[in-house]
Amino acid sequence: MKIGLSYDVKQQVAQAEELPEDAFEEYDSPETIEALSDAIISAGHQVINLGGGCDFLSRVLREKPDLVFNIAEGLGNYRSREAQVPSVLEILGIPYSGSDPLTLALCLEKSLTKQLVAAVGVATPEWHVINTIEELENCDWSNFPFPVFIKPVHEGSSKGIRNASRVDDEATLKELVECQLRLYAQPVMVEQFISGDEVTVGLLGNGEPSVVGIMRVMPRHAGADFVYSLEVKRNWQEMVQYECPAKLDVSVMQRIEASCLLAFKTLGIRDLARMDFRVAKDGTPYFLEVNPLPGLNPKSGDFIIMSQAMGWSYEKLIITILNVAIERYSFGS
């Protein structure tokens, strides 16, 4: 088959002065594109690099691939940006891997995601969304559970999530929310902070998806209320160790898996996803967010680290994702 690769690469996007320094954190590296291409070629397919943005538009029309392996994050500050490439592919009638435009847009908007999973019984921390500085000034925080965690409402790859994002008091909350409103030009989520283990889960498949692994993210240096922040992820080899499978109580692992499968179905996710949880001291797993376009960097992607710990080679995982998508289209879903 002729497989197109759609992606956005950091080096090909100009950094504007007014943007935060992590503005393009979600975008991929040439190393990732090369690894994906090599894996797909190893399965006997031809690979066409389509890129993203306007280059993608011209190339996909010219090359007419049989299927597109999509990891494009989309351009701009739009909450629907991850839906850009799949929307074009649906107009053209070209099959592609991963979730459809509706699910991608929904899952990027953290508040809407939490509303839906909470409605079907998945535990998630309390939250409140601030849209403007005027809203912030008028909010009453007297009954909101502190400490809290503050993050942009439609970002991924830990953009806006720093060591200082966990706060204990209203004054610091207001200061940080105001800063993020200005810096990221989007609403800001104030979320109850769950003290406990940070856990991430990989899922693969359709119909009845399988759990690739449940991985606990553990700080190498002991400290209260660990945050899996951007600073930590950029220096993960020094800052954290990964435990996969997670050595948690069997009942906790079962609750995490059940929550993942229910959220996967409720949100209409296809082919693959990674979900993040915090496990409270009483063993309750609290859903934080889901990434239906998880990073596939061969060295640093959480999904990759997890799958390799569970015995998957990089090539096997990528080819499986591709085959899952091909199979889905062969059955017309």
Side-chain angles (χ1 to χ4, degrees), residues 204-210 261 264-265 269-271 324 328 333:
L204 188 61
N206 293 294
E208 296 295 331
S210 60
L261 296 176
F264 195 99
K265 180 178 180 180
I269 297 170
R270 305 189 315 198
D271 300 348
V324 163
R328 172 167 50 79
S333 60

Side-chain angles (χ1 to χ4, degrees), residues 39 58 69 87 89-90 120 128 187 248 255 278 287:
S58 59
F69 194 106
S87 295
L89 293 172
E90 290 191 354
V120 295
H128 186 73
L248 298 171
R255 292 173 71 181
R278 296 282 293 201
F287 171 94

Side-chain angles (χ1 to χ4, degrees), residues 41-62:
I41 289 171
S42 74
H45 301 288
Q46 177 188 359
V47 172
I48 304 295
N49 286 346
L50 301 174
C54 293
D55 288 340
F56 164 80
L57 294 174
S58 59
R59 289 171 184 164
V60 75
L61 288 169
R62 181 176 67 248

Side-chain angles (χ1 to χ4, degrees), residues 196-202 211-218 241-257 260 275 277-279 283 285 302 305-307 309-310:
D197 288 315
E198 177 92 21
V199 172
T200 189
V201 185
V211 173
V212 174
I214 299 176
M215 183 169 77
R216 181 160 57 162
V217 183
M218 304 166 65
Q241 55 186 344
Y242 297 110
E243 181 185 87
C244 188
K247 296 177 182 177
L248 298 171
D249 187 86
V250 173
S251 64
V252 173
M253 297 283 274
Q254 290 173 340
R255 292 173 71 181
I256 292 172
E257 181 168 347
C260 283
M275 297 189 190
F277 290 80
R278 296 282 293 201
V279 180
D302 284 352
I305 293 169
M306 178 194 318
S307 63
M310 298 302 292

Side-chain angles (χ1 to χ4, degrees), residues 227-245:
V227 173
Y228 197 28
S229 65
L230 187 60
E231 295 98 330
V232 171
K233 288 186 176 182
R234 286 177 171 175
N235 191 28
W236 63 273
Q237 290 172 309
E238 298 292 330
M239 301 295 292
V240 296
Q241 55 186 344
Y242 297 110
E243 181 185 87
C244 188

